[in-house]
Amino acid sequence: DLAKVSKAPARLDFAKLASVNAHFMKLADDDRLLDLLIDYINHHHPDWPPSAEKREKLRAATPILKQRAKTVAELADQSFFLLRARPYKLDEAAQKAMKDDAKPLLARLSQRLQAAADWSAESLSEQLAGFAQDEGVKFGAFGPALRAALTGGAASPELGQVLSLLGRDESLARLGDHI
């Protein structure tokens, strides 16, 4: 009955749409999502061409990154830290995080990480927490600087995961570039 139809115009709720899309991205097959991600990167960011090695890093990162992304575009932005070639300049926010007092902490952390036998995300998170405790500082004293050195300021997951996804050699090289 037309008498019961509301006079208010229909409107698309973009926040709800993003929420629904995020839900289905979390449920999506990782290989399918990886294909969509690589297609998106090739089309929208031709300056980030993923090599075979980088594709494997993206494959390993997709199950982690898809948990925080609402769209394939966000997934691409969050994966940029894996595709970034060294050496790179820190963005403005990352430069602020790289305070002079954080660099000596990062140098000591780098030495500790070089000795790490297990390079899994869980072990690395424990290493970071243990480092903060041993140094008598809060994670905030070096965490933002560590994220800046590893990602250049790009969006990224938890730092133990970032270290693990980048791998030992790449992580230590990025730290060395910015200490």
Side-chain angles (χ1 to χ4, degrees), residues 2-179:
L2 287 177
K4 294 183 179 179
V5 174
S6 172
K7 292 181 182 180
R11 97 178 170 42
L12 183 58
D13 186 346
F14 287 102
K16 180 67 174 178
L17 181 63
S19 174
V20 169
N21 202 58
H23 171 76
F24 285 103
M25 280 187 64
K26 288 176 188 169
L27 298 176
D29 177 68
D30 293 342
D31 289 332
R32 179 175 175 267
L33 204 52
L34 177 64
D35 290 341
L36 290 171
L37 173 62
I38 290 172
D39 287 345
Y40 182 88
I41 290 170
N42 288 335
H43 185 263
H44 294 282
H45 301 287
D47 54 325
W48 307 357
S51 64
E53 178 186 344
K54 301 281 184 175
R55 285 175 189 250
E56 286 308 309
K57 288 187 184 236
L58 287 172
R59 181 178 308 287
T62 299
I64 296 166
L65 297 177
K66 76 179 187 178
Q67 299 302 317
R68 298 174 23 154
K70 295 179 188 138
T71 64
V72 174
E74 281 186 17
L75 188 63
D77 289 343
Q78 290 179 21
S79 66
F80 176 62
F81 78 95
L82 290 166
L83 303 174
R84 178 169 239 171
R86 301 184 29 247
Y88 50 81
K89 290 188 175 197
L90 303 179
D91 70 15
E92 189 176 322
Q95 287 176 2
K96 289 179 183 176
M98 195 60 80
K99 300 174 271 190
D100 289 333
D101 56 338
K103 287 185 179 184
L105 284 170
L106 289 182
R108 291 192 296 277
L109 175 61
S110 180
Q111 291 173 348
R112 183 173 181 147
L113 291 174
Q114 286 176 5
D118 183 2
W119 204 259
S120 67
E122 299 79 22
S123 175
L124 290 165
S125 293
E126 290 172 10
Q127 287 279 346
L128 295 175
F131 177 76
Q133 185 176 13
D134 293 348
E135 290 286 326
V137 296
K138 295 190 184 226
F139 192 77
F142 67 93
L146 176 61
R147 184 176 304 280
L150 294 174
T151 69
S156 64
E158 189 267 328
L159 285 170
Q161 292 174 329
V162 169
L163 287 162
S164 178
L165 290 170
L166 287 172
R168 177 188 303 272
D169 293 340
E170 182 70 14
S171 295
L172 294 174
R174 289 183 182 201
L175 272 172
D177 288 347
H178 296 287
I179 292 179

